[in-house]
Amino acid sequence: MVRTVNDIAAALGVHPSGDGALRIEALAEPATAGPRDLALASNPAYAEALSRGRARAALLWAGADWQGLGLAAAICVGRPRYAMAELTRLHDAAWEAAGAPSQHPTALIAPDADVAATAIGPYTVIGPGVVIEAGARIGSHVSIGAGTRIGAEAFIRDGVRIAHGVRIGARVVIQPGAIIGGDGFSFVTPEPSSAEVVGETLGRESDAAQQPWARIHSLGGVEIGDDVEIGAGSSIDRGTIRATRIGTGTKIDNLVQVGHNAEIGQHCLLCGQVGIAGSATLGDFVVLGGKTGVVDNISIGDRVVTGAGTLCMSNVPAGRVMLGSPATQMTASIESYKALRRLPRDLAALKKAVSKLSGSD
């Protein structure tokens, strides 16, 4: 869709500089932007790249000398990266209004499913008793199990699998290939297993008898709040008795595993390959860096932030910044790493000093 610089600035809630009537067809990086693109130059480091492109208009940092950069128009904002959220939404064809709700003729929809105001793509299967509220969009090759409810304006993309008895809020986005509501990984042996014995003895060799594993069935569902996003290939297991819960506003990256009975608070951010074991609890506004692991039955407090690769093996109080495996406060973890790096040098110096003392005797 073609928009003027004035239109784009109005959507961002700011006033443009220069020729607001310039027509913009697309967004582009500074060095490759053409005369009908809006170049995205969010900080002064991109000024040189602008000179290599042919952009006439750009999104710039507050106070930028847009005329000195050779531009005919500019949109200057205090936080360009935040402006990117609205800019990219305006130009994302996948998010454009779907028009009148329609169901593709190849979709299989149970007779008692309530999907009248929903757009449903080809080869999608909707089970009995499913309710999908107005304005939702369901992609192709999606399956939705019996009794599941999906909120208004949700966007379920191609190839998503949603099991039975799941509750999904309004405006939820689920990326291709995600699986919501599969059974939890929950098995038990007739007598204490080797894993249980080792856990109790903290590593002593296990003498537990070899035994078969019996399934504990997953009777709970999954409950997902409003405005949640779930990345491609992620999996959220259903609870054993109570539901696994994802709080309103939480954003989950690709390839994230959320185990059975876990409870994730509101407005959390879970980066790629995070693994959350069963019955773990996260507070609100938690940020887990990529490959963070959270073991079962522990609690992570509000506003906790972890660095990439952190392994949380015990409760973490609210507001902590954690790093390492096992997790420690980031300041302590960095100091420990520095000390480890210095160890060979310090040990060599110590050996030299001891050698001199020995020679003086």
Side-chain angles (χ1 to χ4, degrees), residues 91-118:
H91 289 83
D92 190 345
W95 248 257
E96 291 178 0
S102 63
Q103 286 86 49
H104 194 274
T106 61
L108 298 178
I109 303 171
D112 64 345
D114 182 0
V115 298
T118 304

Side-chain angles (χ1 to χ4, degrees), residues 18 30 59 64 257 312 341 348:
L59 176 76
Q257 162 68 22
C312 298
R341 291 288 302 271

Side-chain angles (χ1 to χ4, degrees), residues 89-164:
R89 186 195 68 79
L90 288 173
H91 289 83
D92 190 345
W95 248 257
E96 291 178 0
S102 63
Q103 286 86 49
H104 194 274
T106 61
L108 298 178
I109 303 171
D112 64 345
D114 182 0
V115 298
T118 304
I120 300 175
Y123 301 103
T124 281
V125 178
I126 310 272
V130 168
V131 175
I132 304 178
E133 297 181 14
R137 286 183 283 167
I138 313 297
S140 66
H141 298 272
V142 173
S143 62
I144 302 175
T148 283
R149 187 179 192 101
I150 296 175
E153 299 180 35
F155 190 7
I156 313 301
R157 305 191 73 165
D158 299 346
V160 170
R161 302 288 183 257
I162 302 174
H164 63 284

